[in-house]
């Protein structure tokens, strides 16, 4: 290892001071146990870590914020990138260069003075790079598409230890295609350049109902009908959350089964468009309003504290009468009578998300994404997640990489259509034949039929 250590390079081994702290992240349900940690400050540090792993034949995992843990670090090399946190905005070009450890809140803050915004997700603490490599389903997704659709270039260290600058027009253009949607399978991205959108304000928020007063299935049916009437530029989701009765929660949420519709829209007629939703029943809370984009994280108000969780997803071809009834069964399995706390979210897809783009983001024909997350990682809790998602299997065309939460996932099954999977496997054989880079799946192995 001495060949890979320099005085300014931070390398930690089990038992070293700071080793356990370096492993800590947002996900607390699964333990990281690498043989060595490279705490990267630069692309050169990343390249050294990959070269060491290749020389020793060890798997490589990468962690920025720890929202999604890399299984590959078990007994291998973990590269932490949280120190690589530089953001540089080019207001004239409407772009931002984002290093591997950057969180979305940093990009939002950097872009705001120029009246620009990134295509970030609902949680400001999520790492921007890993989110984008998994596709990136943002709060304005139906208007602008996936975040991956707006990437201009990537800097990536491949398994040979080489740092490459890849673009749609570079010699590595096929690698550019595969990294965007292929996740962490082909290398370690140290920096990317993303396009920003000219959005300073939006109309958004949440309309919440008490699920013990208003039938959650009725809210879902109304939501499904409503989505058929809205313009492509309006992005929304349905959620069902049985909150525990604990003092840490606001009084209006404590012990309630909250069913809500969340909205984000840059048009001028937001109030008119959401009016039908207010007729569903008595409202528990209503936060729909005009807001600066910097406040967009309040639309979903995702938890910002580390915790244990597991989850999976299903991309649906539609949400017609029969599919909506099946989701009603899913809600019964995950509601307040379930043995653990389950969160269900249904994202309305389509719009710009359906437009073909030169990247590996799959299932663009999907019309809804169902996500089920449980606040625990034991086997019964995980099995109920998959049992719940099985209710919508007749309408399921795949799964979403960014929403396969937790370690020990179900390999690559359903993550890609067969053509995309075959193309990614070809790239894997070229750029990572020894399979150094792994997550909960491996694109070099055919998924189960």
């Amino acid at each position: 290892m001495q060949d890979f250590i320099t005085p300014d390079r931070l390398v930690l081994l089990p038992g070293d001071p700071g080793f356990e702290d370096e492993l800590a992240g947002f996900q607390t349900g699964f333990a990281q146990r690498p043989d060595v940690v490279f705490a990267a400050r630069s692309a050169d540090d990343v390249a050294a870590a990959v070269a060491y792993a290749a020389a020793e034949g060890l798997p490589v995992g990468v962690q920025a914020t720890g929202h999604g843990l890399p299984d590959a670090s078990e007994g291998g090399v973990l590269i932490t990138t949280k120190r690589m946190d530089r953001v540089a905005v080019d207001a004239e070009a409407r772009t931002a260069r984002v290093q591997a450890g950057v969180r979305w809140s940093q990009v939002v803050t950097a872009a705001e003075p120029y009246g620009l915004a990134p295509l970030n997700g609902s949680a400001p603490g999520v790492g921007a790079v890993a989110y984008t490599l998994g596709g990136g389903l943002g709060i304005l997704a139906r208007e602008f598409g996936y975040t991956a659709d707006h990437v201009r270039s990537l800097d990536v260290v491949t398994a040979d230890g080489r740092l490459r600058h890849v673009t749609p027009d570079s010699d590595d253009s096929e690698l550019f295609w595969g990294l965007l949607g292929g996740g962490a399978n082909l290398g370690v991205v140290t920096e990317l350049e993303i396009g920003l959108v000219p959005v300073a304000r939006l109309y958004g928020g949440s309309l919440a109902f008490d699920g013990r007063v208003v039938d959650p299935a009725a809210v879902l049916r109304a939501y499904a009908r409503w989505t058929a009437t809205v313009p492509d530029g309006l992005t929304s989701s349905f959620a069902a959350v049985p909150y525990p009765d604990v003092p840490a929660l606001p009084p209006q949420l404590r012990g309630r089964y909250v069913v809500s519709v969340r909205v984000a829209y840059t048009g001028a007629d937001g109030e008119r468009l959401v009016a039908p939703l207010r007729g569903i029943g008595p409202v528990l809370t209503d936060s729909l309003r005009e807001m600066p984009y910097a406040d967009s994280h309040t639309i979903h108000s995702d938890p910002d504290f580390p915790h244990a969780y597991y989850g999976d997803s299903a991309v649906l071809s539609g949400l017609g009468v029969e599919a909506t009834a099946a989701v009603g069964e899913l809600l019964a399995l995950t509601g307040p009578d379930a043995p653990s706390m389950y969160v269900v979210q249904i994202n309305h897809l389509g719009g710009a998300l359906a437009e073909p783009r030169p990247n590996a983001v799959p299932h663009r024909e999907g019309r809804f994404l169902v996500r089920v997350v449980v606040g625990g990682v034991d086997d019964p809790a995980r099995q109920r997640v998959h049992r719940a998602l099985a209710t919508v299997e007749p309408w399921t065309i795949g799964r979403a990489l960014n929403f396969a939460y937790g370690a020990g996932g179900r390999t690559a099954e359903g993550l890609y259509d067969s053509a995309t999977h075959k193309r990614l496997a070809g790239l894997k054989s070229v750029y990572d034949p020894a399979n150094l880079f792994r997550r909960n799946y491996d694109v070099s192995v055919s998924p189960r039929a």
Side-chain angles (χ1 to χ4, degrees):
M1 182 182 288
Q2 293 304 317
D3 293 340
F4 302 95
I5 297 178
T6 63
D8 62 345
R9 186 165 289 150
L10 179 57
V11 181
L12 300 171
L13 301 176
D16 285 348
F19 179 83
E20 294 296 334
D21 289 341
E22 194 68 20
L23 302 183
F26 191 79
Q27 165 69 275
T28 64
F30 300 93
Q32 294 273 34
R33 285 294 174 260
D35 283 354
V36 57
V37 174
F38 281 76
R41 297 186 179 94
S42 67
D44 287 343
D45 288 347
V46 173
V50 172
Y52 170 76
E56 297 295 321
L58 297 175
V60 177
V62 184
Q63 177 173 306
T65 64
H67 280 74
L69 295 186
D71 282 0
S73 67
E74 189 78 17
V77 173
L78 178 67
I79 303 171
T80 58
T81 63
K82 59 187 176 183
R83 294 167 181 80
M84 300 173 64
D85 61 353
R86 186 177 67 248
V87 179
V89 171
D90 183 332
E92 185 176 350
R94 292 182 180 174
T95 61
R97 292 198 63 83
V98 177
Q99 284 192 313
V102 169
R103 299 168 186 257
W104 276 124
S105 58
Q106 297 169 256
V107 190
V108 171
T109 299
E112 182 188 19
Y114 307 103
L116 300 172
L119 295 176
N120 56 286
S122 59
V126 167
V129 169
Y131 165 98
T132 303
L133 298 182
L137 183 63
I139 57 174
L140 296 176
R142 277 175 45 86
E143 181 174 2
F144 295 106
Y146 289 99
T147 308
D149 299 341
H150 297 261
V151 173
R152 309 289 182 85
S153 67
L154 305 103
D155 294 339
V156 57
V157 177
T158 45
D160 55 5
R162 176 182 167 189
L163 178 62
R164 304 167 188 258
H165 181 73
V166 298
T167 72
D169 303 314
S170 67
D171 292 340
D172 294 309
S173 60
E174 184 72 355
L175 179 60
F176 178 89
W177 173 89
L179 287 167
L180 298 172
N185 253 292
L186 301 171
V188 183
V189 172
T190 61
E191 189 169 319
L192 52 77
E193 182 181 18
I194 57 172
L196 304 174
V197 295
V199 174
R201 300 187 64 81
L202 61 97
Y203 177 86
S206 172
L207 196 64
F209 306 89
D210 187 331
R212 291 187 174 90
V213 175
V214 182
D215 180 12
V219 179
L220 174 66
R221 290 192 296 270
Y223 172 71
R225 291 192 298 267
W226 176 75
T227 59
T229 69
V230 300
D232 284 349
L234 190 149
T235 305
S236 68
S237 62
F238 166 96
V241 184
Y243 286 99
D245 188 2
V246 295
L249 290 172
Q252 69 270 24
L253 300 179
R254 195 177 303 164
R256 294 184 185 270
Y257 184 31
V258 178
V259 181
S260 60
V261 176
R262 287 83 68 89
V263 172
Y265 180 57
T266 61
D269 54 344
E271 276 292 312
R272 179 185 65 81
L273 291 172
V274 303
L277 296 174
R278 292 199 169 100
I280 291 174
V283 174
L284 182 63
T285 61
D286 182 349
S287 65
L288 291 167
R289 66 200 187 280
E290 291 282 340
M291 67 177 76
Y293 191 84
D295 290 346
S296 61
H297 64 278
T298 65
I299 296 173
H300 292 74
S301 295
D302 291 330
D304 59 359
F305 52 88
H307 59 282
Y309 51 95
Y310 177 84
D312 212 333
S313 63
V315 181
L316 305 188
S317 57
L319 199 54
V321 174
E322 292 183 353
T324 304
V327 177
E329 297 177 31
L330 183 154
L331 292 175
L333 283 167
T334 57
D337 295 331
S340 300
M341 179 182 172
Y342 290 79
V343 176
V344 174
Q345 180 166 312
I346 303 175
N347 291 77
H348 184 203
L349 305 179
L353 295 167
E355 298 174 5
R357 297 294 181 95
N359 57 45
V361 179
H363 309 315
R364 289 180 180 268
E365 71 276 25
R367 288 298 172 262
F368 291 90
L369 173 67
V370 179
R371 300 154 55 183
V372 180
V373 178
V374 60
V377 299
D378 59 40
D379 284 342
R382 293 160 69 170
Q383 290 301 318
R384 185 172 283 251
V385 167
H386 299 303
R387 181 181 164 199
L389 289 170
T391 64
V392 295
E393 187 173 356
W395 302 274
T396 299
I397 62 173
R399 298 161 61 217
L401 175 59
N402 274 355
F403 305 113
Y405 296 115
R410 297 185 297 163
T411 68
E413 181 183 3
L415 291 177
Y416 303 100
D417 58 87
S418 59
T420 300
H421 189 278
K422 183 178 180 179
R423 192 171 169 184
L424 285 171
L427 280 169
K428 186 75 168 177
S429 68
V430 172
Y431 288 98
D432 185 21
N435 195 22
L436 291 183
F437 307 115
R438 305 168 219 160
R439 293 281 305 237
N440 302 335
Y441 58 97
D442 175 6
V443 296
S444 66
V445 178
S446 296
R448 296 192 297 272

